[in-house]
Coordinates of all heavy atoms in Angstrom, one line a residue:
R19 N -62.4 -9.5 11.6 CA -61.1 -9.5 12.2 C -60.0 -9.3 11.3 O -58.8 -9.3 11.7 CB -61.0 -10.9 12.9 CG -61.9 -11.2 14.0 CD -61.4 -12.4 14.8 NE -62.4 -13.0 15.6 CZ -62.2 -14.2 16.1 NH1 -61.0 -14.8 16.0 NH2 -63.1 -14.8 16.9
G20 N -60.3 -9.1 10.0 CA -59.2 -8.8 9.0 C -58.6 -10.0 8.5 O -57.7 -9.8 7.6
Y21 N -59.0 -11.2 8.8 CA -58.4 -12.4 8.3 C -58.5 -12.5 6.7 O -57.5 -12.8 6.1 CB -59.0 -13.7 8.9 CG -58.6 -13.9 10.3 CD1 -59.6 -14.0 11.3 CD2 -57.3 -14.0 10.7 CE1 -59.3 -14.2 12.6 CE2 -57.0 -14.3 12.1 CZ -58.0 -14.4 13.0 OH -57.7 -14.6 14.3
M22 N -59.7 -12.3 6.2 CA -59.8 -12.5 4.8 C -59.2 -11.5 4.0 O -58.6 -11.8 2.9 CB -61.3 -12.7 4.4 CG -61.5 -13.3 3.0 SD -60.8 -14.9 2.9 CE -61.9 -16.0 3.7
S23 N -59.1 -10.2 4.4 CA -58.4 -9.2 3.6 C -56.9 -9.5 3.6 O -56.2 -9.3 2.6 CB -58.6 -7.8 4.2 OG -59.9 -7.4 4.1
L24 N -56.4 -10.0 4.8 CA -55.0 -10.4 4.9 C -54.6 -11.5 3.9 O -53.7 -11.5 3.2 CB -54.6 -10.8 6.3 CG -53.3 -11.3 6.5 CD1 -52.2 -10.3 6.2 CD2 -53.1 -11.7 8.0
A25 N -55.5 -12.6 3.9 CA -55.3 -13.7 3.0 C -55.4 -13.3 1.6 O -54.5 -13.7 0.8 CB -56.3 -14.8 3.3
L26 N -56.4 -12.5 1.3 CA -56.6 -12.0 -0.1 C -55.4 -11.2 -0.6 O -54.8 -11.4 -1.7 CB -57.9 -11.4 -0.3 CG -58.3 -10.9 -1.7 CD1 -58.2 -12.0 -2.7 CD2 -59.6 -10.1 -1.7
R27 N -55.0 -10.2 0.2 CA -53.9 -9.3 -0.2 C -52.6 -10.2 -0.3 O -51.8 -10.0 -1.2 CB -53.7 -8.3 1.0 CG -52.5 -7.4 0.6 CD -52.4 -6.3 1.7 NE -52.3 -6.6 3.0 CZ -53.3 -6.5 3.9 NH1 -54.5 -5.9 3.6 NH2 -53.2 -7.0 5.2
T28 N -52.3 -11.1 0.5 CA -51.2 -12.0 0.4 C -51.1 -12.8 -0.8 O -50.1 -12.8 -1.5 CB -51.1 -12.9 1.7 OG1 -51.1 -12.2 2.9 CG2 -49.9 -13.8 1.6
L29 N -52.2 -13.4 -1.1 CA -52.3 -14.2 -2.4 C -52.3 -13.3 -3.7 O -51.8 -13.8 -4.7 CB -53.5 -15.1 -2.4 CG -53.4 -16.2 -1.3 CD1 -54.7 -17.1 -1.3 CD2 -52.2 -17.1 -1.6
V30 N -52.9 -12.2 -3.7 CA -52.9 -11.3 -4.8 C -51.5 -10.9 -5.0 O -51.0 -11.0 -6.2 CB -53.8 -10.0 -4.6 CG1 -53.4 -9.0 -5.6 CG2 -55.2 -10.4 -4.7
D31 N -50.7 -10.5 -4.0 CA -49.3 -10.1 -4.2 C -48.5 -11.3 -4.7 O -47.6 -11.2 -5.5 CB -48.8 -9.7 -2.9 CG -49.3 -8.3 -2.4 OD1 -50.0 -7.6 -3.3 OD2 -49.1 -7.9 -1.3
E32 N -48.8 -12.5 -4.2 CA -48.1 -13.7 -4.6 C -48.3 -14.0 -6.1 O -47.4 -14.2 -6.9 CB -48.6 -14.9 -3.9 CG -47.9 -16.2 -4.2 CD -46.4 -16.3 -3.9 OE1 -45.9 -15.7 -2.9 OE2 -45.7 -17.0 -4.6
V33 N -49.5 -14.0 -6.6 CA -49.8 -14.3 -8.0 C -49.2 -13.2 -8.9 O -48.8 -13.6 -10.0 CB -51.3 -14.6 -8.3 CG1 -51.7 -15.8 -7.5 CG2 -52.2 -13.4 -8.2
L34 N -49.3 -12.0 -8.5 CA -48.8 -10.9 -9.4 C -47.3 -10.9 -9.5 O -46.9 -10.2 -10.4 CB -49.4 -9.6 -8.9 CG -50.9 -9.3 -9.2 CD1 -51.3 -7.9 -8.6 CD2 -51.3 -9.5 -10.6
R35 N -46.6 -11.7 -8.7 CA -45.2 -11.8 -8.9 C -44.9 -13.0 -9.9 O -43.7 -13.1 -10.3 CB -44.5 -12.2 -7.6 CG -44.4 -11.1 -6.6 CD -43.5 -11.4 -5.4 NE -44.0 -12.3 -4.5 CZ -44.8 -12.0 -3.5 NH1 -45.0 -10.7 -3.1 NH2 -45.3 -12.9 -2.6
Q36 N -45.8 -13.8 -10.2 CA -45.7 -14.9 -11.0 C -45.5 -14.5 -12.6 O -46.2 -13.6 -13.0 CB -46.9 -15.9 -10.9 CG -47.1 -16.4 -9.6 CD -46.3 -17.6 -9.2 OE1 -45.8 -18.3 -10.0 NE2 -46.1 -17.8 -7.9
P37 N -44.6 -15.1 -13.2 CA -44.5 -14.9 -14.7 C -45.7 -15.1 -15.4 O -46.4 -16.1 -15.1 CB -43.4 -15.8 -15.1 CG -42.7 -16.3 -13.9 CD -43.7 -16.2 -12.8
G38 N -46.1 -14.2 -16.3 CA -47.3 -14.4 -17.2 C -48.7 -14.0 -16.4 O -49.7 -14.0 -17.2
I39 N -48.6 -13.7 -15.2 CA -49.9 -13.2 -14.6 C -49.9 -11.7 -14.5 O -48.9 -11.1 -13.9 CB -50.1 -13.8 -13.1 CG1 -50.1 -15.3 -13.2 CG2 -51.3 -13.2 -12.4 CD1 -51.3 -15.9 -14.0
W40 N -50.9 -11.1 -15.1 CA -51.0 -9.6 -15.2 C -52.1 -9.0 -14.4 O -52.1 -7.8 -14.2 CB -51.0 -9.2 -16.7 CG -49.8 -9.5 -17.4 CD1 -49.5 -10.7 -18.1 CD2 -48.6 -8.7 -17.4 NE1 -48.3 -10.7 -18.5 CE2 -47.6 -9.5 -18.1 CE3 -48.2 -7.5 -16.9 CZ2 -46.4 -9.1 -18.4 CZ3 -46.9 -7.1 -17.1 CH2 -46.1 -7.8 -17.8
R41 N -53.1 -9.9 -13.9 CA -54.3 -9.3 -13.4 C -54.7 -10.3 -12.3 O -54.8 -11.5 -12.5 CB -55.4 -9.2 -14.5 CG -56.7 -8.8 -14.1 CD -57.6 -8.8 -15.3 NE -59.0 -8.5 -14.9 CZ -59.5 -7.2 -14.6 NH1 -58.7 -6.2 -14.9 NH2 -60.7 -7.1 -14.3
A42 N -55.2 -9.8 -11.2 CA -55.9 -10.5 -10.2 C -57.3 -9.9 -10.0 O -57.4 -8.6 -10.0 CB -55.2 -10.4 -8.8
Q43 N -58.3 -10.7 -9.9 CA -59.7 -10.0 -9.8 C -60.6 -10.9 -8.8 O -60.4 -12.0 -8.5 CB -60.3 -10.0 -11.1 CG -60.8 -11.2 -11.7 CD -61.4 -11.0 -13.1 OE1 -61.0 -10.2 -13.9 NE2 -62.6 -11.6 -13.3
A44 N -61.6 -10.1 -8.3 CA -62.5 -10.7 -7.5 C -63.9 -10.0 -7.7 O -63.9 -8.8 -8.1 CB -62.2 -10.7 -6.0
D45 N -65.0 -10.7 -7.4 CA -66.2 -9.9 -7.5 C -67.1 -10.3 -6.4 O -66.9 -11.3 -5.6 CB -66.9 -10.2 -8.9 CG -67.3 -11.6 -9.1 OD1 -67.4 -12.5 -8.1 OD2 -67.4 -12.0 -10.3
C46 N -68.2 -9.5 -6.1 CA -69.1 -9.8 -5.1 C -70.5 -9.2 -5.5 O -70.5 -8.4 -6.3 CB -68.7 -9.3 -3.7 SG -68.6 -7.4 -3.6
A47 N -71.5 -9.7 -4.8 CA -72.8 -9.2 -5.1 C -72.9 -7.7 -4.6 O -72.3 -7.3 -3.6 CB -73.9 -10.0 -4.3
V48 N -73.6 -6.9 -5.3 CA -73.8 -5.5 -4.9 C -74.4 -5.4 -3.5 O -74.0 -4.5 -2.8 CB -74.8 -4.8 -6.0 CG1 -75.2 -3.4 -5.5 CG2 -74.1 -4.6 -7.3
E49 N -75.3 -6.4 -3.2 CA -75.9 -6.3 -1.9 C -75.0 -6.9 -0.7 O -75.6 -7.0 0.3 CB -77.2 -7.1 -1.9 CG -78.2 -6.6 -2.9 CD -78.1 -7.3 -4.3 OE1 -77.1 -7.9 -4.6 OE2 -79.0 -7.1 -5.1
N50 N -73.8 -7.1 -1.0 CA -72.8 -7.7 -0.1 C -71.7 -6.7 0.2 O -70.6 -6.9 -0.1 CB -72.3 -9.0 -0.5 CG -71.6 -9.8 0.5 OD1 -71.4 -9.3 1.6 ND2 -71.1 -11.0 0.2
P51 N -72.0 -5.6 1.0 CA -70.9 -4.5 1.1 C -69.8 -5.1 2.0 O -68.7 -4.6 1.9 CB -71.7 -3.4 1.9 CG -72.9 -4.0 2.5 CD -73.3 -5.2 1.5
A52 N -70.1 -6.0 2.9 CA -69.0 -6.6 3.8 C -67.9 -7.2 2.8 O -66.7 -7.0 3.1 CB -69.4 -7.6 4.7
S53 N -68.3 -7.9 1.8 CA -67.4 -8.6 1.0 C -66.6 -7.5 0.1 O -65.4 -7.6 -0.1 CB -68.1 -9.6 0.0 OG -67.1 -10.4 -0.7
A54 N -67.4 -6.5 -0.3 CA -66.7 -5.4 -1.0 C -65.6 -4.7 -0.2 O -64.5 -4.4 -0.7 CB -67.8 -4.3 -1.5
R55 N -65.8 -4.6 1.0 CA -64.8 -4.0 2.0 C -63.6 -4.9 2.1 O -62.4 -4.5 2.1 CB -65.4 -3.8 3.3 CG -66.2 -2.5 3.4 CD -66.5 -2.0 4.9 NE -67.2 -3.1 5.6 CZ -68.5 -3.3 5.6 NH1 -69.3 -2.6 4.8 NH2 -69.0 -4.2 6.4
V56 N -63.9 -6.2 2.2 CA -62.7 -7.2 2.2 C -61.9 -7.0 1.0 O -60.6 -6.9 1.1 CB -63.2 -8.7 2.3 CG1 -62.1 -9.7 1.9 CG2 -63.9 -8.9 3.6
I57 N -62.5 -6.9 -0.2 CA -61.7 -6.9 -1.4 C -61.0 -5.5 -1.5 O -59.8 -5.5 -1.9 CB -62.7 -7.0 -2.6 CG1 -63.3 -8.4 -2.6 CG2 -61.9 -6.8 -4.0 CD1 -64.5 -8.6 -3.6
E58 N -61.6 -4.4 -1.1 CA -60.9 -3.1 -1.1 C -59.8 -3.0 -0.2 O -58.8 -2.5 -0.5 CB -62.0 -2.1 -0.8 CG -63.0 -1.8 -1.9 CD -64.2 -1.0 -1.5 OE1 -64.3 -0.6 -0.3 OE2 -65.1 -0.8 -2.4
K59 N -59.9 -3.6 1.1 CA -58.9 -3.7 2.0 C -57.7 -4.5 1.4 O -56.5 -4.2 1.9 CB -59.3 -4.2 3.4 CG -60.2 -3.3 4.1 CD -60.7 -4.0 5.4 CE -61.6 -3.1 6.2 NZ -62.0 -3.8 7.4

């Protein structure tokens, strides 16, 4: 339904506005393409 991509995008943008934060990252299992799509979105 797009909830997690929305949550992740919102928080990534929030942390990258913070002083001293230069990188946001996430990982997932190669066998979990649904999670990869969430992260890419």
Side-chain angles (χ1 to χ4, degrees):
R19 295 193 199 172
Y21 288 123
M22 197 54 77
S23 293
L24 175 60
L26 182 57
R27 181 176 51 252
T28 299
L29 290 178
V30 165
D31 291 347
E32 179 66 34
V33 300
L34 289 176
R35 284 192 290 270
Q36 301 276 336
I39 298 297
W40 295 93
R41 176 182 175 84
Q43 75 180 43
D45 61 22
C46 67
V48 168
E49 299 91 348
N50 190 356
S53 190
R55 281 192 304 278
V56 165
I57 299 168
E58 290 166 358
K59 287 179 185 177

